[in-house]
Amino acid sequence: MTAARSSSARPSSNWSPPGWSLRRRLLGQLLLVFAGLAVLLYLSVQAVAGRAADATQDNILGASAIAIAEQVRVVEGSITVDLPYAALEMLGLAGEDRVFYRIADGKGAVVTGYEDLPAGTAPASEEAPLFFTAVYRGDTVRVATARRSILASGARQTVLITVAQTREAHGALTTSIALSAAAVGGGFLALAGLLAWIAIARALKPVQEIERAIAARASDDFSTLETAAPREILPLVDAINDFVERLRLTLDTSQQFIAEAAHRIRTPLAALKAQAEVSLKAGPEKTSEESLRRMLHAADETSQLTTQLLTQAMVAYRAERAERQRLSLASLARTAARDLEVAAEMRGIDFRMDLAEGLDIQGDEIALLEAIRNLLDNAIKYGPPDDFVQITVKADPAPEIAIADHGPGIPRKDRDLVFERFRRGAVDPRSLGSGLGLSIVRQVMLTHRGRVRLEHNEPQGLVVRLIFPPVRKTAGHRE
């Protein structure tokens, strides 16, 4: 059952989480751009081909109209036309297209041709026919109208010559050119897609090299990743190296912490076991109160050490993961003091508070409370009984919390050493302590970009100041 659970919980080496492919996304975006360009090319060629076909048809229609206009004559006072069938045959070369014509005088009387053919307006010049598109007998036709002035019966008359042609050949020509353009665009798209795939593969080669370099590493290899990466990928390489370095530091700290914790816990546990064995061998009649007291002391020391170790692990874990929130230093001090009221009362110690309101910081409430409780616990533990501990919150000019006691204090030469883990000052060795309290406090303050300062408390004792980065002070009062 255990093996089955392990197999189902752990993915195989070939398994990869679902997601999108950068290569396919780049290729898709490039193909989308190329497809847009191909469509634009098709539409452009189609428009150009349409205009070219219009110009070709207009030239033929205009030439035919002018040729017919040149054959207009006046015979015995009547307008006659000798149609040049060569001009009409030239129009008839366009496949299935049909040709219509109409010749009328200035009054609209039709001389010859299709009477219902639309003539349009008379062109301004005899040399430049007028062109337009119309619908005639259900078909779309292109129309050219030319004008000719002749002298008839002593008066000048205007003759309008209209020639029209259907547009089947025009449409076929335009479609043919457009299809050719589409074929060229499709070929361009296929070639561009192939070249884009090759280019993307070459561009992503450094990423694949980074992947292979990381995959080939041993689990304990935290060396810097060295690769000839392009400028755009260097931030990724730097981020990986930064992450590996932070991971190495975290693992080193964890291993050192585990080793020291195992060593520190082993000592009181061994003492507790030895004392229990001695009492067991001596029997209940010979078990002295001193032996029980020693066993209780060893148990208390082990309990406190375990608690402090867990607290330090919690603070280290929350250093980069906990969300910061706006906190009142006065509220933090009051909460921590309330948590240790019972311990203080057992030694007859009072908390005197001078708390400036309106001093807020951005921080992790849980970690900060642990730091303040550690300082208050030390003040209660090492201060004289039936005394008081002063708790001050002020801005001088940076926000700070100061905790002052009247205990033995810490000599100046030891003030840097006591921040190291498992290091204690010159105190009574019989007093409970793990040497982790101030280490936890410093770790919390470093996380909040603050600092811890130890000072002598006149006439005797220690003042510990937690100094935070300056913030704007809001209106408040003191209690």
Side-chain angles (χ1 to χ4, degrees):
M1 182 177 297
T2 303
R5 184 182 299 113
S6 176
S7 176
S8 61
R10 181 178 300 175
S12 64
S13 59
N14 295 328
W15 180 88
S16 61
W20 49 269
S21 167
L22 178 60
R23 178 179 301 182
R24 292 179 181 176
R25 172 170 288 192
L26 290 174
L27 181 62
Q29 292 178 350
L30 290 176
L31 288 180
L32 186 62
V33 173
F34 294 154
L37 293 176
V39 172
L40 182 62
L41 173 65
Y42 171 79
L43 296 177
S44 301
V45 171
Q46 187 180 40
V48 172
R51 288 195 295 269
D54 285 342
T56 301
Q57 190 175 31
D58 289 349
N59 290 335
I60 297 176
L61 286 173
S64 299
I66 292 175
I68 294 174
E70 291 176 352
Q71 300 301 319
V72 175
R73 301 285 187 272
V74 176
V75 179
E76 297 179 355
S78 300
I79 299 175
T80 61
V81 179
D82 184 12
L83 289 175
Y85 288 101
L88 299 179
E89 288 179 357
M90 181 171 54
L91 290 171
L93 295 176
E96 300 296 330
D97 279 334
R98 289 168 292 162
V99 179
F100 310 94
Y101 66 92
R102 179 179 182 269
I103 302 172
D105 60 18
K107 298 178 181 179
V110 176
V111 177
T112 183
Y114 298 84
E115 294 184 0
D116 58 345
L117 183 66
T121 59
S125 171
E126 294 186 2
E127 303 298 330
L130 177 68
F131 302 98
F132 62 94
T133 301
V135 177
Y136 180 62
R137 295 185 178 182
D139 292 324
T140 301
V141 295
R142 187 67 174 172
V143 184
T145 299
R147 178 174 64 84
R148 174 76 185 277
S149 296
I150 60 175
L151 188 63
S153 301
R156 184 164 295 280
Q157 294 187 20
T158 298
V159 179
L160 294 180
I161 300 91
T162 302
V163 181
Q165 185 184 30
T166 55
R167 297 173 67 82
E168 282 81 0
H170 171 276
L173 177 61
T174 303
T175 302
S176 176
I177 296 176
L179 289 177
S180 299
V184 173
F188 165 76
L189 183 61
L191 180 60
L194 177 62
L195 295 178
W197 180 266
I198 296 175
I200 292 172
R202 292 177 61 86
L204 294 179
K205 187 176 180 181
V207 179
Q208 296 172 345
E209 292 178 353
I210 294 175
E211 176 189 2
R212 288 193 293 268
I214 296 177
R217 286 192 168 200
S219 59
D220 57 347
D221 184 2
F222 298 103
S223 60
T224 302
L225 181 64
E226 301 290 346
T227 180
R231 187 185 304 112
E232 292 77 8
I233 301 181
L234 282 178
L236 173 62
V237 177
D238 293 340
I240 292 175
N241 286 332
D242 181 65
F243 171 76
V244 170
E245 178 63 18
R246 288 187 285 115
L247 179 61
R248 183 189 67 79
L249 292 176
T250 300
L251 291 178
D252 288 348
T253 302
S254 299
Q255 291 174 355
Q256 182 180 4
F257 176 79
I258 292 172
E260 291 181 351
H263 172 71
R264 297 290 174 171
I265 292 177
R266 186 183 299 115
T267 301
L269 286 179
L272 180 62
K273 179 181 178 182
Q275 193 64 43
E277 289 176 348
V278 170
S279 299
L280 183 63
K281 290 180 180 179
E285 295 82 3
K286 298 182 180 181
T287 300
S288 64
E289 181 179 348
E290 180 65 22
S291 297
L292 294 176
R293 188 177 292 109
R294 290 176 182 176
M295 293 173 62
L296 181 60
H297 182 276
D300 288 341
E301 184 177 0
T302 303
S303 175
Q304 184 177 19
L305 178 59
T306 303
T307 301
Q308 292 286 64
L309 288 173
L310 293 175
T311 299
Q312 187 174 48
M314 181 271 294
V315 169
Y317 175 81
R318 296 181 63 88
E320 296 184 2
R321 296 169 178 84
E323 294 184 1
R324 299 293 191 263
Q325 55 183 323
R326 194 172 184 86
L327 302 172
S328 167
L329 287 181
S331 296
L332 289 173
R334 277 192 288 266
T335 301
R338 187 166 54 249
D339 292 342
L340 292 176
E341 278 183 354
V342 175
E345 289 176 357
M346 291 179 64
R347 299 204 67 208
I349 294 177
D350 294 330
F351 290 137
R352 297 183 182 179
M353 300 188 187
D354 183 14
L355 309 180
E357 301 291 342
L359 288 179
D360 296 340
I361 62 171
Q362 292 290 332
D364 176 15
E365 181 178 14
I366 296 178
L368 288 172
L369 284 175
E370 285 293 341
I372 300 173
R373 280 195 290 258
N374 268 293
L375 295 179
L376 291 178
D377 182 67
N378 284 345
I380 295 170
K381 186 187 306 178
Y382 299 117
D386 302 320
D387 196 28
F388 69 91
V389 173
Q390 180 69 41
I391 305 174
T392 305
V393 171
K394 64 179 181 178
D396 189 23
E400 71 171 44
I401 297 179
I403 298 175
D405 62 52
H406 302 93
I410 299 177
R412 185 181 299 275
K413 62 182 179 62
D414 294 336
R415 289 178 186 174
D416 290 333
L417 300 178
V418 293
F419 289 110
E420 299 178 7
R421 285 187 298 181
F422 306 109
R423 294 295 295 268
R424 304 178 66 188
V427 296
D428 186 353
R430 293 174 297 177
S431 62
L432 289 177
S434 61
L436 288 174
L438 289 178
S439 173
I440 294 173
V441 172
R442 183 181 64 171
Q443 186 175 1
V444 171
M445 294 305 295
L446 288 177
T447 301
H448 290 79
R449 298 181 180 179
R451 51 197 173 94
V452 187
R453 191 166 66 194
L454 305 181
E455 299 176 355
H456 179 67
N457 186 25
E458 295 293 343
Q460 180 179 344
L462 179 69
V463 179
V464 183
R465 301 185 186 275
L466 305 184
I467 305 173
F468 297 87
V471 295
R472 185 177 63 181
K473 182 178 180 180
T474 59
H477 63 279
R478 297 172 69 91
E479 67 173 19

